[in-house]
């Protein structure tokens, strides 16, 4: 996994950001002990259907792996993404693995 150079972690705002065509998609999080609680993924309507959310998910997961952190996915998009991509199960907090069926 590699980091996407166009996606930035705006730690002050507690969100990852990707600006495309003047619109900004975000993944909102809250830091918790040993990981990030991912609460919401927002992709502006004009950017929908272009794989932006999946691109951001890959980046966030690569970043967490690099930082040796776990994901606690309460965001419906991330929960669904992780169910479709069980290869990331090792990055999911153990308490969330069972809930996601991983």
């Amino acid at each position: 996994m590699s980091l996407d150079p166009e996606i930035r972690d705006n730690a002050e705002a507690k969100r990852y950001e990707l600006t495309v065509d003047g619109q900004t998609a975000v993944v909102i999080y809250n830091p918790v002990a040993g990981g990030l609680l991912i609460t919401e993924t927002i992709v502006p309507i004009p950017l929908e259907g272009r794989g932006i959310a999946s691109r951001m998910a890959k980046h966030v997961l690569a970043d967490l792996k690099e930082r040796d952190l776990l994901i606690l996915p309460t965001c419906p998009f991330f929960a669904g993404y992780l169910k479709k991509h069980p290869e990331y199960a090792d990055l999911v907090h153990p308490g969330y693995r069972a809930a996601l069926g991983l």
Side-chain angles (χ1 to χ4, degrees):
M1 289 189 281
S2 63
L3 296 177
D4 187 321
E6 295 182 17
I7 299 173
R8 74 179 202 104
D9 179 6
N10 182 342
E12 187 174 303
K14 297 180 184 168
R15 66 188 206 171
Y16 289 88
E17 303 170 336
L18 173 61
T19 301
V20 177
D21 298 337
Q23 302 274 331
T24 301
V26 297
V27 173
I28 301 169
Y29 64 82
N30 286 307
V32 295
L36 293 182
L37 178 71
I38 304 294
T39 60
E40 193 171 12
T41 301
I42 302 170
V43 176
I45 292 171
L47 300 180
E48 287 181 356
R50 295 171 57 179
I52 301 289
S54 293
R55 180 177 168 190
M56 293 187 77
K58 289 176 190 173
H59 175 88
V60 169
L61 292 164
D63 188 38
L64 292 177
K65 183 172 185 152
E66 190 174 280
R67 294 166 53 195
D68 198 28
L69 296 173
L70 296 175
I71 184 171
L72 295 83
T74 61
C75 165
F77 172 78
F78 263 84
Y81 186 87
L82 290 163
K83 286 180 186 179
K84 291 179 187 174
H85 297 277
E87 65 270 23
Y88 295 114
D90 62 323
L91 296 175
V92 178
H93 186 280
Y96 285 74
R97 285 183 198 152
L100 295 175
L102 300 174

